[in-house]
Amino acid sequence: MPTTRRDLLNAMAKLGGAGAVYETLTAWNFLKPPPAMAQSFELPKDSGNGQTVAILGAGVSGLCAAYELDKAGYKCTVLEPTRRAGGRCWTIRRGDRFQEMPSDAEPNPPVQECTFDDGLYLNAGPGRIPHHHVRVLKYCRDFGVALEPYIFASRANLIHSKDGKTWPLRRPLYDLQGRIAELLDHCKSSDLELPASKEELESLHDMLVQFGGLSGNGTYSNAQARAGYVKGQGPGVAFKGVPETALQLNEILNSEVWNNWLFRDAIIYWQTSLMQPTGGMDMFVRGFLRQPLRGQLGTLEGLIRYGAEAKTILVGNNGVTVTYKDLSNGNVYPLTADYCISTIPMPIFKDMTVTGVEDSFMRAAAVLPVTPSGKVGWQAENRFWEKNYDIYGGISWTNADIDQIWYPSDGYLQQKGALTGAYMSGVKATNFNPLPVQTRLNRARTQGAQLHPEFNDAAIVDHGLAIAWERMQFERFAWANSGAGAAFDTAVQVLARPQPTVGTKRFFVAGDQITYWSGWMEGAIQAAWHATCAISSNACPKLP
């Protein structure tokens, strides 16, 4: 059976990933760019008419819901158990203090305090905004939140493989691309009797020459130095420049760097352009907090009761009653409202006393699959990654527990900087996060030194912080696992339905946890819009 163009594309996908397929489709003029996305949102004016809403949680979803409902004339009260707004959108700065919950390995966790220099910070939660997260960008635009580029992939970033090799990302990436192009160029020979025209085969060859940096005869040697130089260029013939020797295909494949790290920036939510709020991700939260209220003096932050932990929820025919504990004095108070939006994370919500919702609703809360995650932050006394490695932003990857090292996308050429010295999730986080704080810091230092020996010097890298999201009292998870297939699909189908399902809808769940952008602020806003639309119309619409 002759090989078709689809067969060829499938082979290219297996060998070269999305990049090779994209280039081929472009060469054959099959790929058309989609129109730019845009998003707006507005509840019907005065639809609230003074009705009351209790919002549980002052994270991004809760703040967004309060903002939109207030504009529509609802009277909102936000209960927040911590002393800060933002939830998992948390930027840690000098003087901030926190304490994780105990684990078997650490029954008495210490209070950690950030001792970074003023102006340095760690984004403990979200760290970037993809260009297609149009709802987040809408609020940045509306609130005047300044943005700057977030560098996800620098070709100077490092990859540390399972066989102990450390390469600049450009070496395995472009050498693999070249080797794949070499193979594919051989595959298009007449021996395969492809049912493709001569012109298509010629355009495929021309594309592969460009895609892989091949010579005219279809061989790869890194002659263009895409994979870097051993000896750089300079004046005169003696400084012509010596390209790195091209890695062999089996050398790259055996390292398995292609398996998890090499093509990360091809994933839709890691594709350029990515952005970050100037000065820290909490600038987005502050944008909400400073918005003026519509019907009264003050700002949105004035709607928040800090240190108020929701304990029970009673959903009735005429409204919702929430009892909450004032953590400053231990007293318990009732809050009654016409409607309630809960953004409480499901690992906490499932164990609460919630009356007036379907049994299936609480069962779904109990089985929603969630993911652990953790980070380690450091202050570096000199920006050695710039001086010694030519790294300006981006992420280095390793097979070790720490998984990733993030370099700041701001403050270039300054003396000091803050590093994310570990960012892991899933199994790695399950093994890493229960460890004592000092053990995590020691391990992150040792494993970081596999890529950068400077980590071994406490005079250069210090002021460590370790945060495990599943050990944070009022979060207990990093995000819901939308990749868990039917287990996630089934649970969120139930949790996204207002309660009760018969009669007037009074209770609604929000937060990124019920969306397929779980773990992203875009999902938090999607869920807030979903809940507020349902309150306003008392019907559950499709997500905008």
Side-chain angles (χ1 to χ4, degrees):
M1 180 181 294
T3 301
T4 66
R5 289 181 292 197
R6 183 179 298 277
D7 294 331
L8 181 58
L9 288 173
N10 288 335
M12 294 180 75
K14 292 177 182 179
L15 287 170
V21 175
Y22 179 92
E23 295 292 345
T24 302
L25 290 171
T26 301
W28 288 347
N29 200 31
F30 286 164
L31 193 62
K32 305 295 184 183
M37 293 186 291
Q39 193 68 61
S40 61
F41 180 78
E42 193 78 33
L43 293 176
K45 188 175 182 181
D46 297 322
S47 59
N49 194 27
Q51 295 180 93
T52 56
V53 183
I55 299 174
L56 310 183
V60 169
S61 201
L63 293 176
C64 180
Y67 172 71
E68 295 295 346
L69 289 169
D70 175 77
K71 287 199 304 178
Y74 292 86
K75 295 187 180 300
C76 300
T77 301
V78 183
L79 303 182
E80 169 54 46
T82 71
R83 296 294 175 181
R84 61 171 183 83
R88 284 163 291 148
C89 183
W90 181 26
T91 301
I92 303 177
R93 306 174 188 278
R94 184 177 183 84
D96 288 342
R97 304 171 82 241
F98 65 96
Q99 185 178 26
E100 297 171 326
M101 298 174 66
S103 68
D104 290 342
E106 189 175 43
N108 297 299
V111 174
Q112 298 185 64
E113 180 172 352
C114 181
T115 57
F116 291 178
D117 286 4
D118 289 335
L120 300 181
Y121 57 84
L122 171 69
N123 284 324
R128 52 201 170 219
I129 303 171
H131 63 274
H132 49 82
H133 282 192
V134 292
R135 297 165 184 84
V136 174
L137 294 173
K138 161 193 155 49
Y139 287 114
C140 289
R141 185 178 298 110
D142 291 350
F143 300 160
V145 178
L147 298 177
E148 60 191 8
Y150 173 90
I151 308 301
F152 178 79
S154 162
R155 297 314 187 213
N157 292 152
L158 303 180
I159 287 182
H160 185 77
S161 68
K162 72 179 185 68
D163 52 5
K165 295 178 180 177
T166 301
W167 294 314
L169 186 146
R170 59 176 167 260
R171 285 203 73 194
L173 177 62
Y174 292 119
D175 283 349
L176 179 61
Q177 194 166 294
R179 296 302 184 191
I180 290 169
E182 190 175 50
L183 290 173
L184 291 171
D185 196 52
H186 295 161
C187 286
K188 60 103 180 110
S189 67
S190 59
D191 293 341
L192 290 177
E193 298 179 357
L194 289 172
S197 68
K198 176 182 178 183
E199 290 76 15
E200 285 178 326
L201 292 176
E202 288 176 348
S203 68
L204 174 62
H205 170 74
D206 291 343
M207 183 278 293
L208 290 172
V209 167
Q210 296 296 319
F211 175 75
L214 304 182
S215 64
N217 63 4
T219 59
Y220 174 71
S221 64
N222 189 37
Q224 298 176 9
R226 294 183 181 186
Y229 286 96
V230 174
K231 181 180 178 181
Q233 296 167 305
V237 176
F239 297 93
K240 186 177 181 179
V242 179
E244 290 274 10
T245 301
L247 298 171
Q248 296 300 312
L249 181 60
N250 67 335
E251 188 175 4
I252 302 171
L253 297 181
N254 290 339
S255 72
E256 296 188 8
V257 295
W258 49 271
N259 191 37
N260 193 31
W261 312 308
L262 208 55
F263 306 119
R264 287 287 184 99
D265 56 344
I267 299 173
I268 182 66
Y269 46 78
W270 285 329
Q271 291 176 10
T272 55
S273 297
L274 294 125
M275 289 154 281
Q276 64 182 17
T278 303
M281 191 58 70
D282 62 347
M283 296 300 171
F284 183 69
V285 172
R286 295 183 192 186
F288 277 107
L289 296 178
R290 64 172 175 261
Q291 296 309 303
L293 298 174
R294 175 190 167 188
Q296 56 186 306
L297 295 177
T299 64
L300 192 74
E301 187 167 21
L303 302 179
I304 303 173
R305 297 182 188 178
Y306 290 107
E309 180 187 5
K311 304 298 287 185
T312 69
I313 302 170
L314 172 61
V315 182
N317 293 328
N318 299 316
V320 179
T321 299
V322 179
T323 61
Y324 68 93
K325 183 178 181 179
D326 186 330
L327 298 179
S328 65
N329 58 28
N331 294 333
V332 175
Y333 302 95
L335 173 64
T336 299
D338 295 307
Y339 304 101
C340 178
I341 297 176
S342 172
T343 69
I344 297 171
M346 287 302 143
I348 299 172
F349 182 86
K350 68 182 179 63
D351 294 324
M352 294 177 62
T353 300
V354 183
T355 307
V357 300
E358 296 176 335
D359 291 343
S360 61
F361 191 85
M362 296 307 293
R363 288 197 297 269
V367 300
L368 180 72
V370 298
T371 299
S373 179
K375 285 186 176 180
V376 169
W378 301 102
Q379 176 173 308
E381 296 305 308
N382 69 68
R383 298 170 75 98
F384 59 83
W385 54 94
E386 296 175 357
K387 297 176 182 178
N388 302 338
Y389 301 88
D390 302 329
I391 292 174
Y392 293 86
I395 299 173
S396 288
W397 307 88
T398 173
N399 66 305
D401 296 337
I402 61 172
D403 199 53
Q404 304 172 34
I405 294 175
W406 291 14
Y407 310 94
S409 292
D410 59 358
Y412 299 125
L413 307 183
Q414 294 182 9
Q415 177 62 29
K416 299 182 181 182
L419 286 168
T420 301
Y423 178 37
M424 77 293 290
S425 61
V427 173
K428 286 186 175 181
T430 298
N431 296 331
F432 188 85
N433 287 346
L435 300 173
V437 169
Q438 193 56 54
T439 302
R440 280 178 275 164
L441 294 178
N442 292 343
R443 186 169 295 186
R445 186 185 292 279
T446 299
Q447 294 181 357
Q450 294 177 336
L451 286 79
H452 299 294
E454 292 86 349
F455 272 94
N456 284 322
D457 189 344
I460 297 177
V461 178
D462 208 355
H463 305 274
L465 298 167
I467 178 170
W469 278 109
E470 67 273 23
R471 293 179 61 184
M472 298 301 290
Q473 183 179 2
F474 297 112
E475 280 81 22
R476 314 275 183 94
F477 76 150
W479 55 80
N481 184 5
S482 58
F488 180 83
D489 298 343
T490 303
V492 297
Q493 177 70 16
V494 175
L495 295 172
R497 287 202 301 258
Q499 296 289 311
T501 55
V502 177
T504 303
K505 313 299 190 290
R506 298 289 180 182
F507 182 76
F508 311 83
V509 165
D512 59 278
Q513 59 190 339
I514 63 164
T515 77
Y516 287 84
W517 281 115
S518 185
W520 295 87
M521 296 191 300
E522 184 78 354
I525 292 174
Q526 281 184 332
W529 287 11
H530 182 59
T532 55
C533 274
I535 287 177
S536 181
S537 64
N538 226 339
C540 189
K542 294 181 179 179
L543 280 172

